[in-house]
Amino acid sequence: MKVKWSLFTLVAAIALLEFNAFSQQRARTPIAIPDIPGFKALKFDFHLHTVFSDGLVWPTVRVEEAWRDGLDGIAITDHLEYQPFKADVSTNHNRSFEIARRAGEDLDILVIKGSEITRDMPPGHLNGIFLKDSTALAVTSWRDALDATKKQDAFVFWNHPGWTAQSPDGTSKWYAEHTELLEKEILKGIEIVNGRDYYADAHQLALDHNLTLFANSDLHSPAHMDYPPGGDFRPVTIVFARERTAESVKEALLARRTAVYSGGRLMGAEELLRPIFQQSVEVLNPKVRLQGSGRRTVQIHNTSGVAFELEMRGSSDNVNAPRQVTLAPGKIVLFTISAKSGKEIPKGRFKLDYRVKNLICAPGQPLNVQLELEAI
Ligand SMILES: [Zn+2]
Ligand SMILES: [Zn+2]
């Protein structure tokens, strides 16, 4: 017994050493959200800081963090108006991008040139991305800065509209200045998630004004200080692009083909969320014998990394089925059904109505889905 225990201890110690060795490797964890028909589901973080503004990391670190976190690309968006380390690093607003771009080429991470226009509310903080020259935005008037983004054919979105430093009650307020930027065709997107904050009223503003949805980390610290391994993940903007190129990403943003993934929730237009669900979930044995009083198990496979939280809508007339079921990521889940007592189930296809509580098409509006089965 003593020998066995020692052996066990030794094996456990070796396993632990191996685990540590693996955890110290430079390794990427892909984000398992599938492509949809016609489009690749590219994962982006379009709002990041480095030491070239008030961030605490060098630009190349942002690239490797993105690679490790399973992203396809990033935008580095250092503040134009706030450079607290200017005694120690260059004040050239293009420099952080230039450094990151080379690291991006090495790790196959798309690096988009950006800057954060950092002003009082209104209009607040806005990111210009797909810029050509960030220095042209470093001007006194915010109107001139935003006009400069337009001259460069950049894409502009409104950052953290419900940030309590600029909106003490946490609501996202739309000002005349935002209407002005919309009418000048400058403002085209909005963060509905910044860090761990979801702004439901900004989500509604996006729908009201046809703005592209974003969820970005706005990281200042090293990524694993804010999102330690084993915990939750940084928010991600999912871009449905025809190709994995910067041009294709820009086209998708202009066409508003994004969804956001944050805190286990996927939010976006129904026509994007539905194919994600359909590509991810398969009923492995849809044909079931429902005659008599026996119970039958259906196996449902979720190949994605998203836990889909299903809740029954209404009640089916003839069939008992789970009112709540979570389709765990990567798992095959058992789902028990039976005929209601005294009910004859006619042979043929039938559907069970569910809502997916964490797939959100609009504030308070989850995606409705149907599970298709066949009684034989
Ligand atoms: Zn900001
Ligand atoms: Zn920021």
Side-chain angles (χ1 to χ4, degrees):
M1 190 65 199
K2 193 164 189 293
V3 173
K4 269 189 185 168
W5 178 246
S6 301
L7 194 60
F8 173 79
T9 311
L10 187 65
V11 168
I14 290 168
L16 193 65
L17 278 173
E18 285 188 350
F19 174 77
N20 282 334
F22 279 126
S23 64
Q24 283 161 16
Q25 274 182 342
R26 296 167 74 193
R28 176 169 166 91
T29 306
I31 300 170
I33 292 176
D35 296 340
I36 62 173
F39 301 108
K40 295 183 188 305
L42 303 181
K43 289 81 181 180
F44 269 81
D45 186 345
F46 291 103
H47 190 167
L48 292 166
H49 294 276
T50 75
V51 290
F52 286 83
S53 62
D54 57 345
L56 298 178
V57 308
W58 193 250
T60 54
V61 175
R62 288 289 178 237
V63 175
E64 176 143 349
E65 288 170 343
W67 179 82
R68 290 185 184 211
D69 285 352
L71 301 184
D72 293 284
I74 57 171
I76 291 187
T77 54
D78 279 313
H79 299 287
L80 294 164
E81 299 84 351
Y82 186 48
Q83 296 181 298
F85 307 134
K86 61 186 168 195
D88 302 299
V89 296
S90 165
T91 55
N92 177 352
H93 296 296
N94 292 315
R95 192 68 191 128
S96 52
F97 167 75
E98 288 165 4
I99 296 167
R101 179 176 52 185
R102 281 197 290 276
E105 284 166 2
D106 185 38
L107 287 175
D108 195 22
I109 293 291
L110 297 167
V111 180
I112 310 291
K113 185 171 197 164
S115 285
E116 182 164 8
I117 301 163
T118 314
R119 305 296 175 127
D120 293 338
M121 190 76 87
H125 295 193
L126 298 121
N127 274 357
I129 55 173
F130 298 98
L131 290 168
K132 296 181 175 73
D133 176 14
S134 292
T135 60
L137 281 57
V139 290
T140 308
S141 149
W142 62 262
R143 284 189 175 85
D144 291 346
L146 286 154
D147 286 346
T149 67
K150 184 150 193 196
K151 286 197 193 90
Q152 296 185 27
D153 199 23
F155 186 101
V156 171
F157 59 89
W158 182 9
N159 299 340
H160 46 72
W163 184 35
T164 50
Q166 292 193 324
S167 177
D169 64 0
T171 59
S172 306
K173 287 190 202 72
W174 185 267
Y175 290 86
E177 285 79 354
H178 299 115
T179 301
E180 176 189 330
L181 291 171
L182 196 67
E183 288 173 350
K184 286 164 87 175
E185 296 183 352
I186 290 173
L187 180 61
K188 298 200 173 83
I190 188 168
E191 282 183 346
I192 67 166
V193 173
N194 177 281
R196 291 186 177 85
D197 294 331
Y198 165 56
Y199 313 113
D201 42 12
H203 194 174
Q204 190 58 50
L205 288 176
L207 299 173
D208 295 344
H209 299 288
N210 287 328
L211 296 170
T212 304
L213 304 181
F214 287 85
N216 297 317
S217 70
D218 199 1
L219 279 170
H220 288 70
S221 302
H224 284 182
M225 276 175 71
D226 284 4
Y227 299 94
D232 61 344
F233 299 98
R234 71 162 103 180
V236 175
T237 303
I238 303 162
V239 181
F240 297 91
R242 290 179 213 282
E243 294 171 50
R244 195 177 180 279
T245 63
E247 296 70 33
S248 213
V249 168
K250 190 176 181 187
E251 185 275 330
L253 296 185
L254 289 167
R256 301 194 300 276
R257 283 197 313 273
T258 66
V260 307
Y261 185 44
S262 162
R265 289 183 296 199
L266 259 175
M267 296 181 270
E270 179 179 343
E271 59 266 30
L272 298 171
L273 298 189
R274 185 174 302 288
I276 290 176
F277 183 82
Q278 287 168 340
Q279 295 294 317
S280 303
V281 174
E282 185 188 6
V283 180
L284 298 180
N285 56 332
K287 295 185 179 187
V288 285
R289 286 183 196 287
L290 279 173
Q291 277 65 43
S293 58
R295 302 202 308 169
R296 295 287 179 265
T297 38
V298 172
Q299 301 194 22
I300 305 178
H301 192 191
N302 172 12
T303 55
S304 82
V306 182
F308 296 111
E309 297 168 19
L310 271 59
E311 182 177 69
M312 187 180 274
R313 285 183 286 139
S315 63
S316 72
D317 292 340
N318 303 323
V319 177
N320 294 311
R323 297 211 64 77
Q324 310 258 2
V325 62
T326 297
L327 306 179
K331 304 272 190 193
I332 299 170
V333 169
L334 290 180
F335 181 92
T336 305
I337 61 173
S338 61
K340 283 187 176 168
S341 62
K343 296 283 186 182
E344 269 303 310
I345 309 296
K347 289 189 179 180
R349 290 173 191 276
F350 65 98
K351 293 172 179 171
L352 297 172
D353 293 331
Y354 283 85
R355 65 177 67 89
V356 191
K357 289 195 292 180
N358 57 329
L359 298 195
I360 297 161
C361 305
Q365 191 188 314
L367 180 75
N368 291 334
V369 297
Q370 293 182 312
L371 295 178
E372 290 194 27
L373 301 169
E374 184 178 351
I376 56 172

